[in-house]
Each structure stands twice: as structure tokens, then as C-alpha cells.
Amino acid sequence: RYYMMDRDNRFERVQAAYEMLINGAGDKYAYPDGPKIATSGCVLYADAINNNGGSHSNSATRWTPIIGSTKGIKVGSPTWTVNGLNTSNGGFYFQKTTGMKAITAEAVFTPLKNPNSYNRVFTSVETPGGFSIDVRPTDSIGVSFPTKNTGSNYWASQHTIPLKNLLNNIWYVCIRHYGSKSSYYIHNYGWASEHFYSLGEIGMTPFAVGYNPDSSGGIQTGNEFNGIVHSVRLYNRAISEDEMFENLAYEKSRYGF
């Protein structure tokens, strides 16, 4: 980045940055033992990489691995695919976890169809506060952050990000909130600017994968995510940028996007 911003007309610096961006040329570095998922503070990790179609039951406990004591409850009729869970007809509802004042939520997923509404990929359920990663109409990914409980206003902010080539491609999304800051990152899009809100605690809250639940965990018809969820993670802290990029490198090494 320093070379790309060079203002002294030293072409050799601009050329190095250009060759890296356009041709992938330059010194390459790798994780010595391969990238690894950050585990500190991870309260939920549901993963479908080892699934192989219909040879197992529709049980969230078969997502490998699951970190934490949460148990998955099948809702509707989600179906397993190779390396994912098709949630077009339902999803999974995870039992309540402890309150958190800082979170990181990550999801890797493939949208298959443009929705008519907000189709939830990974979301918290109960108030006060809530977060969501979803797919929205007109080729967009959406993220939402929690705020303090002020009447019926439980969402600090919602952001809609239009993207090219949204459908049939794998996407990685990470949202973080901590202190008075919120930020989100989308693979092939980048970081959004930090936003400042008076953030509320996510209380004793269930979480849902692949659909938008009502207060009892049932499906709100029409909000099912029409696509494949590959993995989701939830932390009770804001992971660092270095940790996030290593998580992303780990997912890219497995799913090939």
C-alpha cells in the first residue's frame, strides 16, 4: 500500500504494487503449518466441510466441529449437500448462550437465488440487541448490529452492500462490535468504515442458521436463506484483523474460493 501511494514518481515502486495486484507477482509468504481458526473466545462453530451429501442424519451435532455446549435443533427441512447445508426450506436453531458485550460473527455461504426480503444466513434471535448476516434483494449482502434496548429499537444500524456476481459464488462475511465500535468485512469487498454506536449486550440469546426465527424458534416464512451455508462462527470478543485474515485464509484453503 505504501508503494502504491508513492507520490515521488518512482516508477519501480508503483510497478511493484501493480505487478502484485494484477499478476500476483512478488515475494510470497505462507503460514508455516497452514492457516488455523482462532479458538479463543469461540462459543459456537458449526461447520459442514466433512459432510458428504445424504449419508448422515440432519443433525447439527454432525457439523464438525462444534465448539461450546450449544445443541442444534432442526427447523423445517434443511438438506445436506457436499460441503454445506441447503437452508432453502429451513435451518438450525441453537440453544441459548451467555450474555456478550462484544462479539465477532463469521459466515461462509453461497447464495443461489435473489430473495424478495431479508434472508438470514446467521442471526441472533431475542432482544435486547441482535446481529444478522443476510442476503437482500438486488444482489446485496446485509449486516446488522445490536444496540441498547430502547423500546422497540433493537438494531443500532443496518447496512446493505450491493455486490457484483453475488449468486453462485462463495462469500465470507465477518462482523465485529466492541465498546462503542462496529465494523464489518466482506471478502472481495473489504472493510467498511468503523461505525460508533452505544452498543447493547446480547443477552441469553438463541442463534439461528439459515432462516429468520420467531421468538420460539419457528420459521418466519419467506425469510429462509436460499443457498448453502458452509460454516458459521461466533466469538464473545472482537477478534483482531490478523485473526480474521487467518480465519479467511483457512476457509479459502478448504473451499477454494
Side-chain angles (χ1 to χ4, degrees):
R1 185 173 64 178
Y2 175 80
Y3 278 11
M4 199 65 174
M5 294 172 64
D6 182 75
R7 295 177 174 85
D8 297 332
N9 296 321
R10 283 179 278 188
F11 176 71
E12 68 278 5
R13 291 189 171 192
V14 179
Q15 183 182 26
Y18 178 88
E19 292 294 339
M20 181 273 293
L21 288 170
I22 302 303
N23 299 318
D27 297 332
K28 292 181 171 61
Y29 300 88
Y31 300 99
D33 299 318
K36 294 180 173 60
I37 292 294
T39 57
S40 174
C42 186
V43 296
L44 170 63
Y45 177 10
D47 183 293
I49 188 66
N50 292 322
N51 292 324
N52 56 358
S55 63
H56 53 74
S57 63
N58 274 317
S59 170
T61 57
R62 298 298 297 271
W63 286 32
T64 307
I66 286 181
I67 294 177
S69 59
T70 52
K71 299 295 183 182
I73 303 170
K74 186 179 72 167
V75 179
S77 302
T79 55
W80 292 106
T81 69
V82 175
N83 293 344
L85 180 73
N86 189 319
T87 60
S88 301
N89 295 305
F92 281 96
Y93 179 81
F94 291 93
Q95 292 177 357
K96 295 179 180 180
T97 186
T98 56
M100 295 177 288
K101 293 185 177 180
I103 68 160
T104 300
E106 296 177 297
V108 180
F109 55 95
T110 300
L112 299 179
K113 184 178 179 181
N114 255 317
N116 295 320
S117 182
Y118 290 8
N119 288 5
R120 309 298 189 187
V121 177
F122 187 30
T123 185
S124 57
V125 180
E126 292 181 353
T127 53
F131 74 86
S132 180
I133 298 172
D134 49 68
V135 172
R136 301 181 180 181
T138 62
D139 295 313
S140 298
I141 286 177
V143 296
S144 302
F145 298 100
T147 185
K148 289 183 177 179
N149 183 1
T150 54
S152 60
N153 179 21
Y154 298 112
W155 302 99
S157 180
Q158 298 193 43
H159 303 271
T160 300
I161 307 97
L163 298 165
K164 294 182 179 180
N165 304 315
L166 176 68
L167 300 183
N168 301 305
N169 286 307
I170 298 178
W171 294 89
Y172 165 90
V173 178
C174 174
I175 61 176
R176 305 183 302 168
H177 79 159
Y178 44 96
S180 61
K181 298 179 181 179
S182 294
S183 62
Y184 61 89
Y185 177 88
I186 300 175
H187 175 57
N188 281 339
Y189 175 82
W191 279 110
S193 301
E194 288 190 325
H195 304 274
F196 296 86
Y197 303 103
S198 180
L199 296 172
E201 176 178 326
I202 295 181
M204 294 294 290
T205 305
F207 303 94
V209 176
Y211 74 105
N212 193 33
D214 57 29
S215 59
S216 62
I219 294 177
Q220 292 185 13
T221 303
N223 288 300
E224 301 94 325
F225 170 59
N226 197 325
I228 308 298
V229 180
H230 303 286
S231 66
V232 294
R233 277 182 299 277
L234 181 69
Y235 296 84
N236 61 9
R237 64 184 181 91
I239 64 174
S240 69
E241 289 190 25
D242 286 344
E243 289 176 309
M244 189 212 71
F245 282 119
E246 187 163 2
N247 284 0
L248 173 57
Y250 178 76
E251 301 287 16
K252 290 170 70 175
S253 71
R254 300 189 306 158
Y255 294 111
F257 65 98

mmCIF file of all heavy atoms in Angstrom, residues 23-45:
data_model
loop_
_atom_site.group_PDB
_atom_site.id
_atom_site.type_symbol
_atom_site.label_atom_id
_atom_site.label_comp_id
_atom_site.label_asym_id
_atom_site.label_seq_id
_atom_site.Cartn_x
_atom_site.Cartn_y
_atom_site.Cartn_z
ATOM 1 N N ASN A 23 -0.909 -9.242 -11.482
ATOM 2 C CA ASN A 23 -0.337 -10.531 -11.884
ATOM 3 C C ASN A 23 0.014 -11.453 -10.727
ATOM 4 O O ASN A 23 0.505 -12.562 -10.944
ATOM 5 C CB ASN A 23 0.912 -10.288 -12.742
ATOM 6 C CG ASN A 23 0.593 -9.515 -14.016
ATOM 7 O OD1 ASN A 23 -0.420 -9.784 -14.659
ATOM 8 N ND2 ASN A 23 1.433 -8.550 -14.369
ATOM 9 N N GLY A 24 -0.207 -10.990 -9.493
ATOM 10 C CA GLY A 24 0.140 -11.826 -8.345
ATOM 11 C C GLY A 24 1.628 -12.048 -8.211
ATOM 12 O O GLY A 24 2.073 -13.026 -7.590
ATOM 13 N N ALA A 25 2.443 -11.167 -8.768
ATOM 14 C CA ALA A 25 3.894 -11.318 -8.739
ATOM 15 C C ALA A 25 4.468 -10.668 -7.489
ATOM 16 O O ALA A 25 3.946 -9.677 -6.987
ATOM 17 C CB ALA A 25 4.514 -10.695 -9.987
ATOM 18 N N GLY A 26 5.549 -11.250 -6.990
ATOM 19 C CA GLY A 26 6.212 -10.699 -5.822
ATOM 20 C C GLY A 26 6.564 -11.788 -4.834
ATOM 21 O O GLY A 26 6.350 -12.978 -5.078
ATOM 22 N N ASP A 27 7.145 -11.391 -3.710
ATOM 23 C CA ASP A 27 7.502 -12.362 -2.676
ATOM 24 C C ASP A 27 6.238 -12.929 -2.055
ATOM 25 O O ASP A 27 5.306 -12.198 -1.730
ATOM 26 C CB ASP A 27 8.355 -11.699 -1.594
ATOM 27 C CG ASP A 27 9.687 -11.203 -2.147
ATOM 28 O OD1 ASP A 27 10.170 -11.804 -3.124
ATOM 29 O OD2 ASP A 27 10.228 -10.222 -1.603
ATOM 30 N N LYS A 28 6.212 -14.234 -1.883
ATOM 31 C CA LYS A 28 5.037 -14.913 -1.316
ATOM 32 C C LYS A 28 5.385 -15.486 0.039
ATOM 33 O O LYS A 28 6.469 -16.018 0.251
ATOM 34 C CB LYS A 28 4.549 -16.020 -2.258
ATOM 35 C CG LYS A 28 3.960 -15.492 -3.570
ATOM 36 C CD LYS A 28 3.472 -16.625 -4.447
ATOM 37 C CE LYS A 28 2.695 -16.095 -5.640
ATOM 38 N NZ LYS A 28 3.509 -15.233 -6.500
ATOM 39 N N TYR A 29 4.458 -15.373 0.965
ATOM 40 C CA TYR A 29 4.638 -15.877 2.319
ATOM 41 C C TYR A 29 3.463 -16.775 2.666
ATOM 42 O O TYR A 29 2.347 -16.560 2.202
ATOM 43 C CB TYR A 29 4.732 -14.725 3.322
ATOM 44 C CG TYR A 29 5.883 -13.792 3.036
ATOM 45 C CD1 TYR A 29 5.721 -12.717 2.174
ATOM 46 C CD2 TYR A 29 7.134 -14.012 3.598
ATOM 47 C CE1 TYR A 29 6.776 -11.873 1.884
ATOM 48 C CE2 TYR A 29 8.198 -13.164 3.326
ATOM 49 C CZ TYR A 29 8.013 -12.096 2.469
ATOM 50 O OH TYR A 29 9.061 -11.267 2.186
ATOM 51 N N ALA A 30 3.704 -17.772 3.468
ATOM 52 C CA ALA A 30 2.650 -18.722 3.826
ATOM 53 C C ALA A 30 2.711 -19.002 5.318
ATOM 54 O O ALA A 30 3.735 -18.813 5.968
ATOM 55 C CB ALA A 30 2.812 -20.027 3.042
ATOM 56 N N TYR A 31 1.580 -19.454 5.873
ATOM 57 C CA TYR A 31 1.574 -19.898 7.256
ATOM 58 C C TYR A 31 2.389 -21.186 7.345
ATOM 59 O O TYR A 31 2.155 -22.123 6.579
ATOM 60 C CB TYR A 31 0.145 -20.154 7.719
ATOM 61 C CG TYR A 31 -0.736 -18.928 7.651
ATOM 62 C CD1 TYR A 31 -1.606 -18.733 6.577
ATOM 63 C CD2 TYR A 31 -0.685 -17.958 8.640
ATOM 64 C CE1 TYR A 31 -2.408 -17.602 6.502
ATOM 65 C CE2 TYR A 31 -1.491 -16.827 8.572
ATOM 66 C CZ TYR A 31 -2.340 -16.661 7.510
ATOM 67 O OH TYR A 31 -3.133 -15.542 7.441
ATOM 68 N N PRO A 32 3.378 -21.266 8.252
ATOM 69 C CA PRO A 32 4.278 -22.429 8.266
ATOM 70 C C PRO A 32 3.553 -23.762 8.413
ATOM 71 O O PRO A 32 3.957 -24.748 7.810
ATOM 72 C CB PRO A 32 5.205 -22.141 9.456
ATOM 73 C CG PRO A 32 4.556 -21.044 10.221
ATOM 74 C CD PRO A 32 3.709 -20.282 9.272
ATOM 75 N N ASP A 33 2.495 -23.816 9.203
ATOM 76 C CA ASP A 33 1.757 -25.067 9.393
ATOM 77 C C ASP A 33 0.355 -24.980 8.786
ATOM 78 O O ASP A 33 -0.531 -25.751 9.137
ATOM 79 C CB ASP A 33 1.649 -25.404 10.885
ATOM 80 C CG ASP A 33 3.016 -25.587 11.524
ATOM 81 O OD1 ASP A 33 3.872 -26.224 10.878
ATOM 82 O OD2 ASP A 33 3.222 -25.072 12.630
ATOM 83 N N GLY A 34 0.149 -24.024 7.885
ATOM 84 C CA GLY A 34 -1.170 -23.818 7.325
ATOM 85 C C GLY A 34 -1.987 -22.911 8.226
ATOM 86 O O GLY A 34 -1.785 -22.868 9.450
ATOM 87 N N PRO A 35 -2.936 -22.150 7.670
ATOM 88 C CA PRO A 35 -3.764 -21.259 8.493
ATOM 89 C C PRO A 35 -4.653 -22.056 9.436
ATOM 90 O O PRO A 35 -5.073 -23.170 9.128
ATOM 91 C CB PRO A 35 -4.594 -20.488 7.460
ATOM 92 C CG PRO A 35 -4.607 -21.381 6.256
ATOM 93 C CD PRO A 35 -3.310 -22.112 6.250
ATOM 94 N N LYS A 36 -4.936 -21.477 10.599
ATOM 95 C CA LYS A 36 -5.763 -22.135 11.607
ATOM 96 C C LYS A 36 -6.857 -21.184 12.070
ATOM 97 O O LYS A 36 -6.703 -19.967 12.056
ATOM 98 C CB LYS A 36 -4.918 -22.591 12.797
ATOM 99 C CG LYS A 36 -3.915 -23.686 12.458
ATOM 100 C CD LYS A 36 -3.116 -24.089 13.685
ATOM 101 C CE LYS A 36 -2.229 -25.296 13.405
ATOM 102 N NZ LYS A 36 -1.268 -25.032 12.326
ATOM 103 N N ILE A 37 -7.962 -21.758 12.507
ATOM 104 C CA ILE A 37 -9.071 -20.979 13.041
ATOM 105 C C ILE A 37 -8.738 -20.513 14.453
ATOM 106 O O ILE A 37 -8.240 -21.291 15.280
ATOM 107 C CB ILE A 37 -10.358 -21.825 13.062
ATOM 108 C CG1 ILE A 37 -10.817 -22.120 11.631
ATOM 109 C CG2 ILE A 37 -11.469 -21.149 13.850
ATOM 110 C CD1 ILE A 37 -11.247 -20.902 10.855
ATOM 111 N N ALA A 38 -9.025 -19.246 14.745
ATOM 112 C CA ALA A 38 -8.882 -18.745 16.105
ATOM 113 C C ALA A 38 -9.938 -19.411 16.989
ATOM 114 O O ALA A 38 -11.115 -19.484 16.625
ATOM 115 C CB ALA A 38 -9.050 -17.229 16.123
ATOM 116 N N THR A 39 -9.525 -19.927 18.139
ATOM 117 C CA THR A 39 -10.450 -20.632 19.025
ATOM 118 C C THR A 39 -10.718 -19.890 20.332
ATOM 119 O O THR A 39 -11.722 -20.154 20.984
ATOM 120 C CB THR A 39 -9.926 -22.038 19.359
ATOM 121 O OG1 THR A 39 -8.614 -21.920 19.951
ATOM 122 C CG2 THR A 39 -9.829 -22.891 18.099
ATOM 123 N N SER A 40 -9.849 -18.964 20.719
ATOM 124 C CA SER A 40 -10.043 -18.247 21.977
ATOM 125 C C SER A 40 -11.325 -17.422 21.925
ATOM 126 O O SER A 40 -11.520 -16.601 21.028
ATOM 127 C CB SER A 40 -8.849 -17.324 22.236
ATOM 128 O OG SER A 40 -9.070 -16.524 23.374
ATOM 129 N N GLY A 41 -12.216 -17.661 22.869
ATOM 130 C CA GLY A 41 -13.466 -16.919 22.934
ATOM 131 C C GLY A 41 -14.533 -17.409 21.983
ATOM 132 O O GLY A 41 -15.606 -16.807 21.899
ATOM 133 N N CYS A 42 -14.289 -18.499 21.255
ATOM 134 C CA CYS A 42 -15.281 -19.014 20.306
ATOM 135 C C CYS A 42 -16.349 -19.791 21.071
ATOM 136 O O CYS A 42 -16.051 -20.788 21.733
ATOM 137 C CB CYS A 42 -14.615 -19.898 19.268
ATOM 138 S SG CYS A 42 -15.715 -20.431 17.954
ATOM 139 N N VAL A 43 -17.584 -19.359 20.991
ATOM 140 C CA VAL A 43 -18.672 -20.018 21.719
ATOM 141 C C VAL A 43 -19.533 -20.884 20.808
ATOM 142 O O VAL A 43 -20.330 -21.686 21.277
ATOM 143 C CB VAL A 43 -19.563 -18.986 22.444
ATOM 144 C CG1 VAL A 43 -18.763 -18.251 23.514
ATOM 145 C CG2 VAL A 43 -20.179 -17.994 21.463
ATOM 146 N N LEU A 44 -19.386 -20.719 19.490
ATOM 147 C CA LEU A 44 -20.132 -21.549 18.558
ATOM 148 C C LEU A 44 -19.349 -21.657 17.255
ATOM 149 O O LEU A 44 -18.899 -20.654 16.711
ATOM 150 C CB LEU A 44 -21.507 -20.937 18.264
ATOM 151 C CG LEU A 44 -22.320 -21.588 17.115
ATOM 152 C CD1 LEU A 44 -22.656 -23.032 17.457
ATOM 153 C CD2 LEU A 44 -23.575 -20.791 16.819
ATOM 154 N N TYR A 45 -19.173 -22.890 16.790
ATOM 155 C CA TYR A 45 -18.533 -23.113 15.496
ATOM 156 C C TYR A 45 -19.239 -24.285 14.851
ATOM 157 O O TYR A 45 -19.123 -25.420 15.275
ATOM 158 C CB TYR A 45 -17.041 -23.397 15.690
ATOM 159 C CG TYR A 45 -16.267 -23.708 14.415
ATOM 160 C CD1 TYR A 45 -16.814 -23.541 13.149
ATOM 161 C CD2 TYR A 45 -14.956 -24.158 14.491
ATOM 162 C CE1 TYR A 45 -16.101 -23.808 12.007
ATOM 163 C CE2 TYR A 45 -14.225 -24.438 13.353
ATOM 164 C CZ TYR A 45 -14.794 -24.262 12.113
ATOM 165 O OH TYR A 45 -14.077 -24.550 10.975
#
